[in-house]
Amino acid sequence: LIIQLIAPPKTKSSTSSSSSGEEWNKLGERHDGKHNSMIYYKIVNSTNLMTRIETPIPPSLLVPLLSVLNETELYSTWLPYYKKPFHLGVSSSTKLQQKSRVSQVIKVEVDVPWPFAKREVVIDAVALDDIEETGRIALRMVTPKSDGDIVPYPKKGVLRQEFEGGFLFLKCPSDHPSLVDKNGKRGEGEDKILVYFFMSIDDKKLHLFPQAIINFVTRIVIGKAWDMFLHVAEEIKDGKRPDHSAAIEEKKEVLYNWVDERIDAMFERMKSAE
């Protein structure tokens, strides 16, 4: 996973409606006023869609960002849901198991346009702390096998997608292209944390979706969801997300105080490596 995340993507311009093979389509750079992101995607074959995103963030945003990821049962409160030009988006998110302090199994249900069946994704998310050795934090996300107990079998009429992906948080290289803003001004890399995200979804019916829907997902939905992810983290930092604030306060002793300690250790490791 880490190799997939940190390897520079071999890209081509996103001028065609689809891609295949080893090349990534670069959707371009997104500037939301606070963050600069680089987004890529590729359709590997008739069933597989991959996405890759890179965004530098200030250190003060890391804990809020991790809380957005951790509070899985609040995903449906902020992930985009589209009613036009068709219904598409997350309809529910459920925690199936809290495996450890920073690892859990979740189920996310997604509405897709008629006549296609509702989709669901079950994700086993495991946090990896490699701060002492490399100064990195990673989150590994894969679809576990159904066991009829913790991981239920899909309901009738629901198609389960296979998911593989994750996040990687590390010191942002000073030459990362996302440090150049929309005015061509380069920021300072030593004050940034680089967030890598990688996602691979395997859908047996992907080849049946009209190209218009695939284009809508790759060119609009993915970028908007990432913008909301960052925006919610900003609002948590500013105290504007009461549901998240309440969840953080409730889990402060068992989780978030420990997260603060590990993030402090990460920053100390980064400083010592300079």
Side-chain angles (χ1 to χ4, degrees):
L1 171 65
I2 289 178
I3 292 174
Q4 288 175 313
L5 286 168
I6 64 177
K10 181 181 179 182
T11 63
K12 66 178 180 180
S13 175
S14 181
T15 55
S16 61
S17 60
S18 64
S19 65
S20 61
E22 295 301 316
E23 291 186 326
W24 291 83
N25 276 318
K26 182 179 178 182
L27 288 177
E29 301 175 16
R30 298 179 69 88
H31 308 277
D32 64 1
K34 291 186 176 181
H35 311 286
N36 303 324
S37 302
M38 302 184 72
I39 302 179
Y40 310 86
Y41 83 94
K42 64 179 174 181
I43 298 175
V44 180
N45 52 47
S46 63
T47 66
N48 186 259
L49 169 67
M50 290 186 177
T51 300
R52 172 184 174 130
I53 305 176
E54 303 172 16
T55 305
I57 62 169
S60 60
L61 197 62
L62 184 52
V63 172
L65 208 63
L66 292 174
S67 71
V68 178
L69 288 173
N70 186 69
E71 300 307 325
T72 54
E73 293 173 303
L74 295 175
Y75 283 1
S76 60
T77 67
W78 60 268
L79 280 169
Y81 190 100
Y82 297 89
K83 296 183 178 180
K84 294 181 181 181
F86 32 66
H87 285 256
L88 179 67
V90 172
S91 57
S92 69
S93 56
T94 307
K95 184 190 297 183
L96 301 178
Q97 182 189 30
Q98 185 73 43
K99 298 174 63 177
S100 68
R101 183 158 46 184
V102 289
S103 301
Q104 55 186 293
V105 180
I106 66 171
K107 182 178 74 171
V108 179
E109 295 187 344
V110 180
D111 290 337
V112 296
W114 182 89
F116 298 100
K118 179 189 287 283
R119 265 50 177 176
E120 73 173 20
V121 178
V122 177
I123 300 173
D124 186 351
V126 179
L128 307 171
D129 182 336
D130 197 32
I131 292 172
E132 273 71 24
E133 292 296 323
T134 66
R136 297 171 177 170
I137 297 173
L139 181 65
R140 182 82 165 93
M141 307 162 73
V142 296
T143 295
K145 292 182 179 180
S146 298
D147 57 13
D149 183 15
I150 295 171
V151 182
Y153 297 101
K155 298 176 183 176
K156 184 178 180 180
V158 177
L159 180 63
R160 179 168 297 170
Q161 298 173 316
E162 295 294 317
F163 184 98
E164 181 181 12
F167 285 82
L168 184 65
F169 305 90
L170 69 160
K171 180 181 179 180
C172 184
S174 59
D175 60 350
H176 193 275
S178 285
L179 293 175
V180 179
D181 63 22
K182 61 182 179 180
N183 298 316
K185 184 179 179 181
R186 177 171 291 278
E188 296 298 327
E190 62 267 19
D191 295 326
K192 298 285 187 178
I193 301 293
L194 186 59
V195 181
Y196 281 108
F197 172 66
F198 169 77
M199 176 182 73
S200 173
I201 290 182
D202 195 81
D203 189 312
K204 297 177 182 178
K205 305 293 185 180
L206 179 64
H207 63 288
L208 298 178
F209 279 86
Q211 191 63 49
I213 294 179
I214 294 175
N215 290 345
F216 187 73
V217 170
T218 57
R219 299 178 181 180
I220 296 177
V221 175
I222 292 172
K224 180 62 176 177
W226 189 256
D227 288 346
M228 284 301 299
F229 174 54
L230 297 171
H231 178 68
V232 171
E234 290 282 359
E235 289 194 328
I236 292 172
K237 185 182 72 171
D238 295 338
K240 297 179 180 179
R241 282 273 167 172
D243 289 343
H244 283 83
S245 296
I248 291 170
E249 186 62 31
E250 180 183 348
K251 300 170 186 174
K252 203 166 188 178
E253 294 298 324
V254 297
L255 175 61
Y256 286 106
N257 284 345
W258 176 82
V259 170
D260 285 337
E261 291 175 3
R262 296 311 297 150
I263 298 304
D264 287 343
M266 180 181 180
F267 293 152
E268 287 299 319
R269 173 67 173 75
M270 289 167 54
K271 290 178 182 178
S272 66
E274 291 178 357

